[in-house]
């Protein structure tokens, strides 16, 4: 028997909210690369003390659009969570993921406010901004992960939590679960260090590849610049784990993740060779977001195999 339209529309809506979240992230990168983070001054949530800025300059428009998109996302998420709790039963996986979406969306807003009110925007290159950049982007990745799991578990009709599946996984299942968790953690490190590297490229652009490499290891260089090498180093470690996870899974999701991983390395190398132009940074970030979404789905299949039983 076909489900009512209101139930069938839930999964497409959840994926649409996730897609809009990616757009918000990409516009946030535009805010950073254009130096528009201080476009609304040290005011939050108002913009230069007004609900709608009057006679705004370009930086104000760019930052205001980002804040407006974030507000729209909050509304979309509120509808999604209410819909999930309306149509999914108690104990459902999607309900649990939706709760984390709310928690992480709140922390995302608070971290964004802290960046603005703390002055850690625009040309600020302090160590405090480095730390906040890592924390903020890690939270963003976790929010994307929670939205992905919500949409995926709605799509697969994952059902309720069942602790008996953990006992039945066996040594091989436990190994895959641990490998998936390790891969996720390493990818979070790659994302956080990538955000720092992108910020360094924006604030301290290099005239050439050789000059950029010299800056990375110069004793006088800011911490922001000296941390750039951590991103490719972490990427190599994550590559090993992702490749091993894909090899053990040998599923359609694994093939997608492997393809996206190869694309990300091509984009990353291109970003370095082209000296990180704005368009390349945005494209690299888009690829990273899509890769992260696919990896979360693959990892969820290893960590929570019971969620795949009702597809």
């Amino acid at each position: 028997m076909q489900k009512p339209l209101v139930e069938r529309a839930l999964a497409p809506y959840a994926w649409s909210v996730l897609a809009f979240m990616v757009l918000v992230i990409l516009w946030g990168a535009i805010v950073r690369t254009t130096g528009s983070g201080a476009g609304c001054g040290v005011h939050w949530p108002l913009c230069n003390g007004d609900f709608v800025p009057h006679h705004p300059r370009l930086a104000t428009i760019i930052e205001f659009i980002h804040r407006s998109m974030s507000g729209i996302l909050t509304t979309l998420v509120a509808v999604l969570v209410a819909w999930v709790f309306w149509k999914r039963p108690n104990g459902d996986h999607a309900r649990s993921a939706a709760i984390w979406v709310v928690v992480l969306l709140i922390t995302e807003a608070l971290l964004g406010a802290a960046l603005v009110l703390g002055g850690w925007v625009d040309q600020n290159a302090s160590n405090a901004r480095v730390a906040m950049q890592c924390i903020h982007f890690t939270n963003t990745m976790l929010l994307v992960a929670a939205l992905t799991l919500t949409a995926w578990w709605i799509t697969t009709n994952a059902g309720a939590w069942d602790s008996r599946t953990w006992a039945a996984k066996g040594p091989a299942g436990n190994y895959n679960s641990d490998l998936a968790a390790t891969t996720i953690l390493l990818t979070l490190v790659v994302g956080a260090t990538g955000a720092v590297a992108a910020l360094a490229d924006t604030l301290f652009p290099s005239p050439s590849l050789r000059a950029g490499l010299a800056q990375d290891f110069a004793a006088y260089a800011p911490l922001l610049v000296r941390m750039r090498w951590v991103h490719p180093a972490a990427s190599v470690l994550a590559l090993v784990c992702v490749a091993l996870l894909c090899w053990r899974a040998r599923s359609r999701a694994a093939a997608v993740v492997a393809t996206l991983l190869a694309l990300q390395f091509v984009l990353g190398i291109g970003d370095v060779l082209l000296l990180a132009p704005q368009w390349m940074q945005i494209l690299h970030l888009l690829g990273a977001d899509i890769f992260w979404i696919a990896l979360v789905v693959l990892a969820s299949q290893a960590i929570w195999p019971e969620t795949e039983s009702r597809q």
Side-chain angles (χ1 to χ4, degrees):
M1 182 177 178
Q2 192 176 39
K3 293 181 179 180
L5 178 61
V6 70
E7 290 189 28
R8 286 184 282 124
L10 178 55
Y13 178 77
W15 288 112
S16 298
V17 175
L18 177 60
F20 190 79
M21 173 73 202
V22 172
L23 289 178
V24 174
I25 294 172
L26 296 179
W27 194 264
I30 292 175
V31 171
R32 171 182 51 78
T33 57
T34 58
S36 303
C40 288
V42 288
H43 298 89
W44 191 94
L46 299 178
C47 186
N48 290 324
D50 296 315
F51 185 75
V52 177
H54 302 288
H55 309 293
R57 55 194 178 93
L58 180 59
T60 302
I61 294 173
I62 293 173
E63 170 65 6
F64 183 71
I65 290 175
H66 185 237
R67 293 191 184 192
S68 299
M69 292 176 70
S70 299
I72 294 171
L73 176 65
T74 300
T75 303
L76 295 176
V77 166
V79 173
L80 173 62
V81 173
W83 199 344
V84 167
F85 272 78
W86 177 34
K87 285 299 177 182
R88 306 301 294 185
N90 289 334
D92 192 87
H93 282 74
R95 277 194 173 198
S96 300
I99 291 173
W100 278 108
V101 169
V102 174
V103 172
L104 291 166
L105 185 61
I106 292 173
T107 55
E108 185 80 357
L110 294 176
L111 288 169
L115 284 170
V116 172
L117 299 177
W120 297 314
V121 291
D122 197 15
Q123 299 300 309
N124 186 303
S126 65
N127 293 348
R129 185 180 185 183
V130 173
M132 284 297 298
Q133 192 77 12
C134 290
I135 295 171
H136 190 206
F137 197 76
T138 298
N139 190 86
T140 300
M141 291 182 68
L142 291 174
L143 176 55
V144 170
L147 276 170
T148 300
L149 291 176
T150 302
W152 179 247
W153 285 338
I154 291 171
T155 303
T156 58
N157 193 27
W161 294 95
D162 188 354
S163 59
R164 291 173 297 179
T165 58
W166 287 89
K169 281 199 300 185
N174 290 330
Y175 176 81
N176 289 341
S177 178
D178 292 343
L179 176 60
T182 301
T183 303
I184 289 295
L185 289 174
L186 278 175
T187 306
L188 285 171
V189 173
V190 173
T193 55
V196 172
L199 180 61
D201 290 336
T202 300
L203 298 183
F204 303 99
S206 302
S208 66
L209 180 59
R210 175 179 293 183
L213 292 174
Q215 280 184 332
D216 289 352
F217 299 98
Y220 61 83
L223 177 64
L224 199 59
V225 174
R226 286 185 282 117
M227 282 186 63
R228 276 195 298 210
W229 69 270
V230 180
H231 178 57
S235 299
V236 172
L237 293 176
L239 166 65
V240 174
C241 287
V242 173
L244 183 57
L245 180 61
C246 290
W247 179 77
R248 289 188 63 88
R250 299 181 186 180
S251 61
R252 182 180 300 178
V256 171
V257 169
T259 302
L260 291 172
L261 177 64
L263 177 61
Q264 269 305 94
F265 267 82
V266 171
L267 291 174
I269 293 172
D271 196 25
V272 172
L273 295 178
L274 295 174
L275 303 179
Q278 183 185 41
W279 66 268
M280 193 63 184
Q281 290 189 44
I282 303 299
L283 185 61
H284 189 28
L285 179 58
L286 174 60
D289 288 337
I290 297 173
F291 167 74
W292 174 242
I293 291 169
L295 179 62
V296 167
V297 170
L298 177 61
S300 73
Q301 294 173 344
I303 298 174
W304 299 288
E306 73 273 13
T307 62
E308 307 305 307
S309 60
R310 302 190 181 189
Q311 292 189 57

